[in-house]
């Protein structure tokens, strides 16, 4: 199975400041079709997960542009340019280069 | 409105069975891969199973293979998860999720249904 490792596991951010989460996979997520199958999801407290980013760097519909994804191969980053209070929750990366789909451990983001 | 609504969770003894349902609305259910993802209390997300749009192909995590069966009824816009031989470690909230691309773009999630395995 592809192991997904996120760092840090928790993050306390002042509103308006940037935040960055790293996600590393145990194998390359670049598929033969040229796409890289790395996703980001946010789970706000008491809610189901919601999609943020697909295929490394593409925002799902309705996701604010302060969220951006980057990376390639096995190393990926989610950045929030200016954290807002509504961004609190647990962020998960997920790979779908192969089955089973596997998630990172999650990074809990809170506001200072 | 695009929506997924799970039901069927509850308290069950170890070794028991439960069937979860996920009712879909607001989109053409039969066009999409569907998934079950669990979350144990206080823990992260874990993918359990997926099924192809027509239902011919099913996929499972090793932890549930042979115990859980995913199925769908496209005429009823409903996804199912038959859970047998339940274990304490199956205690979790179970989410169904629509896969927009067939490759992990889980764009719609249900609210989840809680399964508690306890004696």
């Amino acid at each position: 199975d592809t192991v997904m490792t996120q760092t840090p596991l928790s993050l306390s951010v002042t509103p308006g400041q940037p935040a960055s989460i790293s996600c590393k996979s145990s194998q390359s997520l670049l598929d033969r079709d040229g796409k890289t199958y790395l996703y980001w999801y946010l789970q706000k407290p008491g809610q189901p997960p919601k999609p943020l980013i697909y295929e490394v760097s593409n925002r799902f519909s309705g996701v604010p542009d302060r969220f951006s994804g980057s990376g390639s191969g096995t190393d990926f980053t989610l950045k929030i340019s200016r954290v807002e209070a509504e961004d609190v929750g647990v962020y998960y990366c997920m790979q779908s280069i192969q089955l089973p789909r596997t998630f990172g451990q999650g990074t809990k983001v809170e506001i200072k | 409105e695009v929506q997924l609504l799970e039901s069927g969770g509850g308290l069950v003894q170890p070794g028991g069975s439960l069937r979860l349902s996920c009712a879909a609305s607001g989109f053409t259910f039969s066009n999409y891969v569907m998934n079950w993802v669990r979350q144990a209390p206080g823990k992260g997300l874990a993918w359990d199973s997926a099924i192809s749009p027509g239902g011919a192909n099913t996929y499972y995590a090793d932890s549930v293979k042979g115990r859980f069966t995913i199925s769908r009824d496209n005429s009823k816009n409903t996804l199912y998860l038959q859970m047998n031989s339940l274990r304490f470690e199956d205690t979790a909230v179970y989410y169904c999720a629509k896969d927009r691309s067939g490759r992990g773009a889980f764009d719609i999630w249900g609210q989840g249904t809680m399964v508690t395995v306890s004696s």
Side-chain angles (χ1 to χ4, degrees):
Chain A
D1 296 0
T2 302
V3 177
M4 305 298 288
T5 304
Q6 289 182 231
T7 55
L9 297 183
S10 66
L11 203 49
S12 183
V13 188
T14 301
Q17 293 300 302
S20 180
I21 301 170
S22 171
C23 175
K24 296 184 188 297
S25 58
S26 61
Q27 62 181 279
S28 175
L29 303 187
L30 174 62
D31 205 349
R32 287 173 291 184
D33 63 7
K35 296 181 180 179
T36 301
Y37 290 99
L38 184 281
Y39 298 81
W40 290 97
Y41 297 91
L42 165 60
Q43 187 173 32
K44 296 184 179 183
Q47 296 184 20
K50 59 177 278 187
L52 290 178
I53 301 288
Y54 65 96
E55 295 166 19
V56 180
S57 60
N58 302 284
R59 284 186 297 276
F60 278 87
S61 175
V63 174
D65 61 8
R66 64 179 181 274
F67 291 93
S68 64
S70 63
S72 63
T74 61
D75 289 356
F76 306 94
T77 302
L78 176 71
K79 292 183 179 176
I80 311 173
S81 59
R82 294 174 304 278
V83 172
E84 297 186 5
E86 65 180 26
D87 300 334
V88 297
V90 181
Y91 291 77
Y92 296 93
C93 60
M94 187 199 82
Q95 66 78 23
S96 63
I97 186 73
Q98 63 172 208
L99 291 168
R101 309 299 189 217
T102 48
F103 293 88
Q105 318 96 301
T107 295
K108 185 174 184 179
V109 172
E110 56 186 23
I111 300 296
K112 280 184 182 175
Chain B
E1 180 188 3
V2 178
Q3 192 173 346
L4 296 171
L5 186 61
E6 301 94 337
S7 61
L11 176 63
V12 62
Q13 291 188 336
S17 297
L18 215 52
R19 188 176 84 153
L20 306 184
S21 298
C22 169
S25 59
F27 65 97
T28 306
F29 178 72
S30 59
N31 284 354
Y32 296 97
V33 172
M34 296 296 296
N35 296 262
W36 288 100
V37 176
R38 71 166 78 179
Q39 186 170 37
K43 302 297 184 182
L45 302 171
W47 175 86
D48 270 353
S49 185
I51 187 168
S52 60
N57 298 304
T58 57
Y59 310 91
Y60 299 95
D62 285 347
S63 58
V64 306
K65 202 173 296 182
R67 300 188 300 123
F68 290 10
T69 302
I70 190 172
S71 63
R72 63 194 297 163
D73 185 336
N74 286 343
S75 69
K76 295 182 178 179
N77 292 337
T78 302
L79 175 72
Y80 302 100
L81 187 66
Q82 177 67 43
M83 310 166 70
N84 298 331
S85 303
L86 281 161
R87 305 168 178 168
F88 292 118
E89 56 266 31
D90 295 320
T91 294
V93 174
Y94 286 78
Y95 297 103
C96 59
K98 166 182 170 283
D99 188 337
R100 185 181 75 182
S101 66
R103 291 300 302 269
F106 298 167
D107 61 335
I108 304 296
W109 296 66
Q111 288 297 311
T113 187
M114 182 71 202
V115 172
T116 303
V117 183
S118 175
S119 54

